[in-house]
Amino acid sequence: ASDGSELRTLTQGEWMIDGVIEVDEDSGWIYVNSTRGSALERRVERVSIHDGEIETLSEPGGLHGASLSRDGKWLAMMSSSLTAAPTITLVATDGSERRILYESDISLDSIEVTAPELRTFSAGDGTTLYGALYRPESEGPHPLLLAVYGGPHAQTVLDAWGLTVDLRAQYLAQEGYLVLKLDNRGMAGRGLAFEAHLHRQMGTIEVDDQSAAVQQLADEGLIDIERVGVYGWSYGGYMTVMSMLRRPDLFKVGVSGAPVSDWDGYDTGYTERYMGTPQNNAEGYREGSLLTHADKLEGQLLLIHGGVDENVHFRHTARLITALTAADRDYDLLMFPEERHMPRDQAGLEYQERRVARYFDRHLK
């Protein structure tokens, strides 16, 4: 209602409305993205304002998004999947017509990659977790590289072309590593209860879930548990280091890009949404800080950071270096003085990728 009071609930169930595309009051429909088919997919659907009836407008499977025309008669829909590059289709909202506007000529064969394998893992409490495996062609058990993000408000494992064309993961798999991406508890796409596991305790449950998945791969004989590495950027950079500090027995080599070293120095609009303030959650901030646990580092760690990073300021890596030095712990540093959150020029990106690959080859193979 206009005064903010609730009139009625239109949708319910074990799935999410992931975003509202448009509200068409004239026709009585709300156009949305939903996970009604699977948390690994995004449907384009419309919900009746009058009775909550739901109509699916996208094809089965994959990742779909759309924009609605001003007259409410057409959707411009972008779609992709693990095996199909993005297409743009003009879809009549009454279901009468579909017309392809753009179709890529890129295919798995043309870029010589294989789509990652989607599978499930189990968290310590029995929660189902979704992961993606990039498999090498060689016989196992393989060295494992965990490509981690781990933070809230993001989902990395989806039936989407973007997962397939992660060229770093694809290259490392071609070099003989098994590469795993896992969406741990606390990440997006699975509802509030799933994401709320991180509340006031960043750097804990994420590491537990990632570690559990690694152990499951070892139990299945797919990996060599003595050769496990981890890499990530931003929250994934934070997770890389925290994984090495909390589970030094498991994670032997890490490449950490632009890590948040202490949540008291990051964007408060982001941090306090999940952690509260340092005043009302002192223990959570202390336990979630890399600085607190710096003396536990045992493995080989490469830190990468841009000198003018406007998101995670270089001060975070500087503070971590200070803590590691005080603890007499060895580390390696790759700094890009004139770059932001990651290198953006071609030469810088290529140099970074060579350094990442060589670091794992040197310390993990």
Side-chain angles (χ1 to χ4, degrees), residues 37-52:
S38 164
L40 300 175
E41 304 170 0
R42 291 296 183 275
R43 291 180 175 181
V44 173
E45 301 188 301
R46 64 180 187 177
V47 182
S48 170
I49 293 174
H50 306 296
D51 59 12

Side-chain angles (χ1 to χ4, degrees), residues 305-321:
H305 215 135
V308 290
D309 188 333
E310 80 289 2
N311 182 353
V312 181
H313 301 162
F314 182 78
R315 171 176 177 260
H316 283 273
T317 286
R319 294 179 73 186
L320 179 56
I321 287 172

Side-chain angles (χ1 to χ4, degrees), residues 23-340:
V23 178
D24 187 351
E25 294 186 51
D26 293 336
S27 66
W29 292 100
I30 303 172
Y31 292 82
V32 299
N33 275 119
S34 87
T35 65
R36 199 160 66 101
S38 164
L40 300 175
E41 304 170 0
R42 291 296 183 275
R43 291 180 175 181
V44 173
E45 301 188 301
R46 64 180 187 177
V47 182
S48 170
I49 293 174
H50 306 296
D51 59 12
E53 177 191 358
I54 301 174
E55 292 184 4
T56 302
L57 302 170
S58 54
E59 298 289 345
L63 186 72
H64 305 274
S67 295
L68 183 69
S69 63
R70 291 183 179 180
D71 62 8
K73 295 181 178 179
W74 297 94
L75 285 165
M77 191 177 303
M78 179 176 285
S79 306
S80 80
S81 70
L82 288 171
T83 57
T87 61
I88 300 176
T89 306
L90 193 63
V91 179
T93 54
D94 64 4
S96 63
E97 187 176 353
R98 287 179 177 269
R99 188 188 319 158
I100 294 177
L101 301 181
Y102 168 80
E103 189 170 20
S104 175
D105 59 1
I106 297 174
S107 66
L108 295 175
D109 290 339
S110 71
I111 57 176
E112 299 181 1
V113 300
T114 302
E117 168 195 333
L118 300 183
R119 57 161 291 176
T120 60
F121 295 86
S122 294
D125 67 352
T127 300
T128 297
L129 306 173
Y130 295 111
L133 288 179
Y134 301 78
R135 290 179 180 265
E137 293 183 356
S138 58
E139 293 295 323
H142 308 284
L144 173 71
L145 290 178
L146 188 64
V148 67
Y149 183 74
H153 204 61
Q155 183 178 5
T156 61
V157 180
L158 288 161
D159 180 11
W161 184 248
L163 193 66
T164 295
V165 293
D166 180 338
L167 297 186
R168 178 188 294 147
Q170 290 284 2
Y171 173 78
L172 292 169
Q174 291 174 5
E175 289 296 297
Y177 298 98
L178 181 67
V179 181
L180 168 65
K181 290 187 178 184
L182 180 85
D183 283 349
N184 51 253
R185 285 173 293 171
M187 296 184 69
R190 301 279 299 276
L192 179 59
F194 187 85
E195 193 167 358
H197 283 282
L198 281 187
H199 187 224
R200 297 173 67 86
Q201 55 173 358
M202 284 179 171
T204 57
I205 201 76
E206 319 97 289
V207 178
D208 294 341
D209 286 356
Q210 299 285 340
S211 301
V214 171
Q215 187 61 57
Q216 287 170 58
L217 291 176
D219 292 344
E220 294 170 15
L222 294 176
I223 66 166
D224 178 355
I225 197 71
E226 297 301 321
R227 293 187 294 163
V228 177
V230 54
Y231 67 86
W233 253 252
S234 200
Y235 200 105
Y238 164 76
M239 274 289 294
T240 295
V241 182
M242 187 61 88
S243 296
M244 296 183 71
L245 300 180
R246 291 195 58 221
R247 289 298 306 271
D249 60 312
L250 196 59
F251 298 101
K252 306 300 174 58
V253 185
V255 175
S256 169
V260 175
S261 62
D262 195 310
W263 292 107
D264 70 359
Y266 190 61
D267 177 5
T268 55
Y270 175 94
T271 303
E272 293 179 7
R273 184 188 322 167
Y274 305 105
M275 290 288 283
T277 66
Q279 291 74 30
N280 67 26
N281 186 21
E283 182 178 358
Y285 275 79
R286 182 174 58 255
E287 288 303 308
S289 171
L290 303 181
L291 311 182
T292 302
H293 309 286
D295 62 340
K296 298 180 177 66
L297 180 65
E298 295 180 11
Q300 302 292 324
L301 173 63
L302 172 63
L303 299 168
I304 303 177
H305 215 135
V308 290
D309 188 333
E310 80 289 2
N311 182 353
V312 181
H313 301 162
F314 182 78
R315 171 176 177 260
H316 283 273
T317 286
R319 294 179 73 186
L320 179 56
I321 287 172
T322 299
L324 291 171
T325 301
D328 194 26
R329 293 294 186 265
D330 293 339
Y331 63 89
D332 294 293
L333 175 66
L334 172 58
M335 183 181 178
F336 292 91
E338 298 181 350
E339 294 291 355
R340 296 162 65 187

